[in-house]
Amino acid sequence: MKSLRSLKSLLIAAVAACGFVLTGAMPASALPPDGTQVTCGTAGQGLGLYYNSNNAGSKRCIFGDVHNYDANPTNCSSQGCARYAFELDGRNGQGTYLKNNAASAYNYSAYVVRIYYNSGWGGTWDSFPAYGYQGSAKWYGNLNGTYNNNASQRMLYET
């Protein structure tokens, strides 16, 4: 009887794991904290912001909600929080602070992400669909309402 219960528990766990694989959704415990800088170009990661139009120049990818690009909550000390900046990658815009300097974006995440004109998710916003796809067409591009006036981002956890 005890081994039957163990087998049943194992079977339930296997079915749950298959459901996870089929849906592609990540459990909340596997998601990085809001504001985490992540690797651009990796499926399932965050929003990539680019210094130049057409996804050119230096970039910075961030997962989740960011209340203000001038304060990275994952990089704080007693002197305050560091500001988000474009990567030091040798491309145009490297090291420039992210706030009010992004011209284009690409969404590498499984969720819709909005970029806002104001800190605290206010004002005009640009929206980017999950994995950069709008229907069957790949979609990324230049910021419109927040072009070089980007202050925060919000990840909408509905797909």
Side-chain angles (χ1 to χ4, degrees):
M1 188 67 144
K2 189 173 187 176
S3 63
L4 186 57
R5 282 188 198 143
S6 297
L7 181 60
K8 184 178 177 184
S9 296
L10 184 62
L11 192 56
I12 289 170
V15 168
C18 287
F20 168 72
V21 171
L22 292 175
T23 64
M26 292 180 75
S29 61
L31 297 175
D34 283 340
T36 301
Q37 295 179 150
V38 293
T39 304
C40 288
T42 304
Q45 294 294 340
L47 178 74
L49 294 158
Y50 292 82
Y51 184 77
N52 294 117
S53 298
N54 303 315
N55 293 24
S58 190
K59 64 188 176 301
R60 172 59 61 202
C61 285
I62 306 169
F63 183 86
D65 294 347
V66 176
H67 188 266
N68 182 353
Y69 287 136
D70 271 345
N72 180 347
T74 64
N75 189 7
C76 297
S77 69
S78 60
Q79 283 77 40
C81 298
R83 298 169 74 183
Y84 288 98
F86 290 101
E87 294 177 4
L88 298 173
D89 55 9
R91 295 191 279 176
N92 194 27
Q94 71 169 352
T96 302
Y97 292 123
L98 186 65
K99 186 172 184 177
N100 297 328
N101 286 306
S104 58
Y106 184 84
N107 186 2
Y108 297 98
S109 81
Y111 309 101
V112 173
V113 180
R114 289 183 182 166
I115 302 167
Y116 290 87
Y117 186 89
N118 295 324
S119 296
W121 313 297
T124 301
W125 48 268
D126 289 309
S127 186
F128 290 84
Y131 294 120
Y133 284 92
Q134 183 75 31
S136 61
K138 194 169 188 177
W139 191 83
Y140 56 88
N142 299 333
L143 300 175
N144 293 310
T146 62
Y147 183 88
N148 287 338
N149 284 299
N150 52 295
S152 59
Q153 76 182 44
R154 176 148 274 179
M155 186 169 279
L156 307 175
Y157 289 97
E158 312 89 44
T159 54

